[in-house]
Amino acid sequence: MKTILIFVSTLDGKVTKWGEPNVRLWSSHQDQDYYKKVWSVSKLIVMGSKTFNTDKFSPSSDHQIIVMTSQPEKYKSLAIPGQIEFTNETPIELTTRFINKGHQQMLVIGGTHVATSFLKAQLIDEIWLTIEPKIFGVGDNFATGAKLDIDLRQIQSEKVNDQGTLITKYAVLRH
Ligand SMILES: NC(=O)c1ccc[n+]([C@@H]2O[C@H](COP(=O)([O-])OP(=O)(O)OC[C@H]3O[C@@H](n4cnc5c(N)ncnc54)[C@H](OP(=O)(O)O)[C@@H]3O)[C@@H](O)[C@H]2O)c1
């Protein structure tokens, strides 16, 4: 199974503007269209409870949404079997479960804490990063609070507008 981490970031590595959760206030239309397209073809989508709580995620039989939380019971009334579930599994437990179920791909959409815990556990195979030509100075970094040392190899980069938004893909190198 290929595990992909997807983020939109500024040149200075910020994935929120000054901590404000709504990314669509500053990400380009090209990124938003791309993200919608990736979402629409992704069967298995993983996120942290904070990301879940900052946006509207409509359950659908086309997707299986997994929300990571230490308190799954708190979200019990929102769970829909096969469409949206709340789990306190670790990243490795979650990944192993879906490998065993025969899934081909898992999309991790953040936020920063969930991204970091997957990176730390060396469970990410590719990072799909949109780089917006902006600098915010203050905001959440896509990896946070852990010493990491990850080498990547670029496998795709496309300039998608005149300002120079780059839609990139990197493979994580295993040593
Ligand atoms: N620019 C982008 O592409 C992008 C993408 C996604 C999100 N974001 C932004 O990122 C922000 C949210 O990021 P965040 O880091 O604050 O929250 P997050 O990663 O979405 O969620 C973190 C929460 O998930 C729960 N959790 C359960 N298991 C975990 C594990 N193994 N590792 C980490 N967390 C685990 C914990 O909450 P409980 O146990 O208390 O439930 C934890 O506080 C939002 O502002 C959102 O807008 C940006």
Side-chain angles (χ1 to χ4, degrees):
M1 183 176 74
K2 190 197 278 185
T3 302
I4 297 158
L5 177 61
I6 188 164
F7 264 124
V8 55
S9 166
T10 64
L11 271 188
D12 58 336
K14 303 300 177 200
V15 299
T16 66
K17 183 178 183 182
W18 311 338
E20 148 67 47
N22 190 353
V23 168
R24 284 185 292 269
L25 294 176
W26 55 266
S27 60
S28 59
H29 294 302
Q30 290 81 7
D31 173 66
Q32 292 176 27
D33 292 346
Y34 166 71
Y35 184 72
K36 268 188 221 146
K37 211 149 86 189
V38 171
W39 179 285
S40 71
V41 296
S42 297
K43 178 71 195 145
L44 185 58
I45 300 168
V46 175
M47 69 186 80
S49 63
K50 287 207 179 126
T51 295
F52 175 76
N53 286 321
T54 60
D55 215 334
K56 280 217 157 35
F57 294 98
S58 318
S60 134
S61 55
D62 296 337
H63 311 286
Q64 192 173 357
I65 296 176
I66 313 295
V67 181
M68 297 178 74
T69 173
S70 57
Q71 302 167 273
E73 62 290 346
K74 192 172 129 187
Y75 298 92
K76 227 159 116 187
S77 64
L78 299 175
I80 302 172
Q83 295 187 21
I84 182 157
E85 72 170 275
F86 299 84
T87 180
N88 57 8
E89 288 164 293
T90 63
I92 184 74
E93 287 167 344
L94 201 58
T95 304
T96 306
R97 171 155 66 104
F98 288 111
I99 288 172
N100 291 341
K101 282 193 169 169
H103 279 264
Q104 297 298 304
Q105 191 167 300
M106 182 163 86
L107 187 71
V108 179
I109 65 156
T112 61
H113 285 89
V114 158
T116 305
S117 64
F118 274 84
L119 287 168
K120 213 173 151 185
Q122 301 184 321
L123 294 168
I124 298 296
D125 299 301
E126 289 185 11
I127 298 179
W128 294 3
L129 184 67
T130 297
I131 304 166
E132 297 289 1
K134 292 175 178 292
I135 292 175
F136 292 152
V138 173
D140 299 272
N141 298 313
F142 85 76
T144 184
K147 282 186 177 168
L148 300 171
D149 186 3
I150 298 170
D151 286 323
L152 306 131
R153 180 174 55 85
Q154 192 178 68
I155 50 180
Q156 191 180 306
S157 176
E158 190 188 352
K159 181 179 158 195
V160 293
N161 57 27
D162 285 346
Q163 201 184 332
T165 296
L166 296 176
I167 292 182
T168 69
K169 291 185 180 177
Y170 292 87
V172 172
L173 298 178
R174 313 249 181 241
H175 296 295

